[in-house]
Amino acid sequence: MTSSITSSDRTLSTRGDRTRYLLTCGAIAGVVFPALSFGQALSRPGFDLRRHALSSLTLGELGWLQTMAFAVTGLLAIAFAVGLRQALRPGRAGTVGPVLVGVYGVAMIGGGFFVPDPGYGWPPGAPDGLPEQASTGSMLHVVCGAAAFLSLIAAGLIFARRFAGQGRRGWAAYSGVSGVVAFALTALPWSEESASVRFAVGAVIISGWLIAVSYQVRAEST
């Protein structure tokens, strides 16, 4: 009997450790994308965040770095989604929350695979404007980008409801406000000239939300 109980306890402990490792992937994903993106934005000659979207860093000689940023972030987010499913089911947000985070991960991988068209002088030597007809890859990149933002915005609202149900008003407010602000920055019809800056700020907000939720759910699982 003692041997059986000990074996069961070890199995549960191993599963718990694995879940916590997967949950940590959310925090790493939240750091990787802005760190690699802004590091390049500040160091690659000719790139101007006021005109060029962070995703356009996939273009040019060092474009593989940004492609890697998209791919690694996406894979980490998918791992995080698996951890969320293991940690939260069958509780609040235990089904829809992980699915939305998983969609974000897949969309990020797609966003790195499909790249935008050159334009506005980026990469160096590109025309000072956009092509009259967008390429298929560029259109698919936009679709992936929209899916990534909208899925995490929706996840923020789902988790806000979860935290509110637990009586955690601060976390509920943070999660809900993050979703609403990210939506306002990326989905509302603002001036086209401010798009690259707005989307960069939106990326920072949802990345910060990933870090925070990873930390909070991991704390609940200890």
Side-chain angles (χ1 to χ4, degrees):
M1 174 68 82
T2 302
S3 176
S4 176
I5 293 175
T6 302
S7 177
S8 176
D9 288 346
R10 285 176 179 171
T11 300
L12 290 173
S13 176
T14 300
R15 288 177 180 173
D17 289 342
R18 186 181 302 119
T19 297
R20 285 189 287 275
Y21 291 144
L22 290 170
L23 291 173
T24 302
C25 288
I28 300 173
V31 171
V32 165
F33 189 76
L36 289 178
S37 297
F38 286 103
Q40 292 183 80
L42 295 173
S43 62
R44 291 180 66 177
F47 186 87
D48 185 350
L49 188 56
R50 294 169 297 181
R51 303 185 69 204
H52 309 134
L54 290 176
S55 59
S56 64
L57 287 165
T58 52
L59 303 171
E61 196 171 311
L62 296 176
W64 63 271
L65 286 171
Q66 189 66 3
T67 298
M68 184 178 68
F70 273 102
V72 171
T73 300
L75 291 171
L76 287 168
I78 291 171
F80 180 43
V82 174
L84 284 175
R85 183 178 175 83
Q86 294 177 357
L88 300 181
R89 288 194 71 188
R92 289 176 180 269
T95 300
V96 179
V99 168
L100 290 170
V101 173
V103 170
Y104 167 77
V106 172
M108 288 296 283
I109 294 173
F113 184 79
F114 302 108
V115 300
D117 292 324
Y120 298 117
W122 180 262
D128 193 16
L130 291 175
E132 292 185 9
Q133 181 65 42
S135 66
T136 300
S138 181
M139 289 188 287
L140 289 173
H141 177 83
V142 171
V143 170
C144 289
F149 271 104
L150 292 176
S151 60
L152 271 205
I153 289 168
L157 301 179
I158 291 293
F159 274 87
R161 184 171 179 269
R162 175 181 185 269
F163 291 134
Q166 294 175 327
R168 300 181 179 185
R169 295 181 179 178
W171 278 100
Y174 168 72
S175 196
V177 169
S178 294
V180 170
V181 173
F183 179 82
L185 288 171
T186 60
L188 296 184
W190 297 73
S191 168
E192 187 66 28
E193 287 76 13
S194 65
S196 60
V197 173
R198 286 188 289 104
F199 275 83
V201 174
V204 170
I205 291 173
I206 63 174
S207 295
W209 181 85
L210 273 177
I211 296 169
V213 172
S214 170
Y215 167 81
Q216 180 57 31
V217 177
R218 193 179 189 282
E220 293 176 13
S221 302
T222 56

